[in-house]
Amino acid sequence: MDTGRYEDALAAYRAALALDGADEAARYGQTKARILADPSPTFDQEGAVRRLAALREEAPKDPHLPMMLGRLAQLGGDPGRARVLYGEALALDAELPQAWFGLGQLEDSQGRRAQAREDYERAVTLAPEQVQYRENLAGVLLAQGDYKGALARYDGLLATAPGLLLARIDAGNAARLAGDLEAALAHHGQLLLDLDREGAFAGPDNGGEWVFDGAVGPVSLQTADAKRAYGLLSAALTRWLAGDQAGAGRVAGQGAGLAGRERAGAVLEADLQRLGEVRPQWRAAVAAFRGAEILPASR
C-alpha cells in the first residue's frame, strides 16, 4: 500500500483472510486496496473518490486514503488538488514513498525538475526496490543535464531490472550525451537483443505509454511498433556516431515498415537537436545522419 501497488496489496490481504477470515485489519485493507486495484477501462473514478472519502470519514488518520485520493486527482487532471492531498498524506506519515513520488511527478510534469529530483530521491530512499521510482529519478537527472549521474542511475537500475526497454534506451542516450560512446554502444547493443525477445513489450514495465519532450511538444509512443521503431533509430544513431554507417543503416532498416515510425522519428529529432547542442564535436555527424536516406521518418 505504501508504494501504490494495490493489486499486490489486495492479493496479500486476501491471502491473510484465507488464513484468518476474522482479521479486521486484513478486511479493512482489502476494502481499501480493492478500490484502486486493477482498474478496468470502465473504471468509475467518481465512484472510487466517493468510496475513499467515505472510508476517510471512518479512518481520518489513515495516510493511504488521501494518498489514493491524490492519485485520482492527478489522473483526473487536477494537479492542485492532488498536491494538497499528497501533502495531507505526508502530514500523517512523512515516510510514505508513493506520496513523495506523486509530488515528484507533479513537479516533473510542470518543468520544476530540481524539486522533482528531491521528491523522487525521497521516494527512492524510502523504497529503493521500486523500479518506477528509480527510473523516474534517472529520467529527471537526464532532463537536468546531469548525464553522468543519469547514466550511473540507469546502470544501477538495469543491473537489477535488465529487461526495462525504455531505461535501456535512455541509458544509451545518457551515455551519448556524456560523450561515452563505448557505454552507449554497450547499452544499445543490448537493446537490440532485448527487442528481439518474444513478448518484449508485454507486461506493465514495457507495455505502458512512453511520453517524451519532442521538438515541438510532447510526443507519446503507445504501440509496440512505435516503441520498437524508436529503439532501433536510437541504436542506429549510436552506431552512426561510432563510425559504423553501414551498421546504422542495417539497424534502422529493421524498422522501415513499422507503424508509428514517424512518431518515433519525431522523438529522435529532439534527441538529435539536444545532441548537437551538448556535443558540438558531433554536429557534422548529426547533420549527416539527418540527411541519410535510411531515416526518412526522422526528417
Side-chain angles (χ1 to χ4, degrees), residues 14 38 51 71 76 80 110 127 154 189 195 199 201 208-209 217 245-246 249-250 278 298:
R14 285 173 171 166
D38 193 22
R51 291 195 296 276
R71 178 62 177 161
Q110 295 174 7
Y154 283 123
L195 289 174
F201 294 96
E209 180 182 26
Q245 283 78 23
R250 287 193 298 272
V278 173
S298 66

Side-chain angles (χ1 to χ4, degrees), residues 147-207:
Y147 307 124
K148 290 183 179 179
L151 179 57
R153 289 284 184 175
Y154 283 123
D155 283 341
L157 173 60
L158 290 164
T160 56
L164 296 173
L165 295 177
L166 182 55
R168 185 68 70 183
I169 293 171
D170 283 342
N173 293 351
R176 277 194 320 236
L177 289 162
D180 189 345
L181 278 181
E182 183 177 352
L185 285 167
H187 278 297
H188 284 167
Q190 182 59 50
L191 170 67
L192 294 176
L193 297 176
D194 292 341
L195 289 174
D196 280 341
R197 286 189 292 106
E198 184 176 354
F201 294 96
D205 287 337
N206 295 321

Side-chain angles (χ1 to χ4, degrees), residues 206-270:
N206 295 321
E209 180 182 26
W210 295 358
V211 181
F212 304 87
D213 293 327
V216 292
V219 180
S220 67
L221 303 181
Q222 299 178 334
T223 67
D225 276 0
K227 296 173 186 176
R228 185 181 300 277
Y230 177 56
L232 291 170
L233 291 173
S234 297
L237 172 57
T238 297
R239 289 197 176 190
W240 185 281
L241 293 173
D244 183 9
Q245 283 78 23
R250 287 193 298 272
V251 170
Q254 295 177 34
L258 293 174
R261 191 168 187 259
E262 185 174 343
R263 296 181 70 81
V267 178
L268 189 79
E269 177 58 33

Side-chain angles (χ1 to χ4, degrees), residues 2-3 97-98 121-131 133-134:
D2 285 355
T3 55
Q98 186 68 13
E121 285 176 339
R122 289 290 296 273
V124 168
T125 298
L126 291 166
E129 77 286 356
Q130 288 304 297
V131 165
Y133 298 174
R134 296 166 67 193

Side-chain angles (χ1 to χ4, degrees), residues 76-128:
D78 190 346
R81 177 66 176 156
R83 189 183 303 277
V84 168
L85 286 161
Y86 287 138
E88 291 175 0
L90 290 169
L92 293 168
D93 182 356
E95 297 189 348
L96 201 57
Q98 186 68 13
W100 286 113
F101 179 69
L103 285 174
Q105 288 181 306
L106 292 173
E107 303 293 0
D108 206 352
S109 67
Q110 295 174 7
R112 293 192 285 267
R113 298 280 165 58
Q115 186 59 55
R117 176 176 179 170
E118 288 186 21
D119 294 339
Y120 287 149
E121 285 176 339
R122 289 290 296 273
V124 168
T125 298
L126 291 166

Side-chain angles (χ1 to χ4, degrees), residues 53-78:
L55 282 179
R56 199 176 182 192
E57 289 185 4
E58 299 174 9
K61 293 186 178 181
D62 183 345
H64 292 146
L65 300 175
M67 181 183 76
M68 296 166 79
L69 285 165
R71 178 62 177 161
L72 291 175
Q74 186 175 356
L75 292 173
D78 190 346

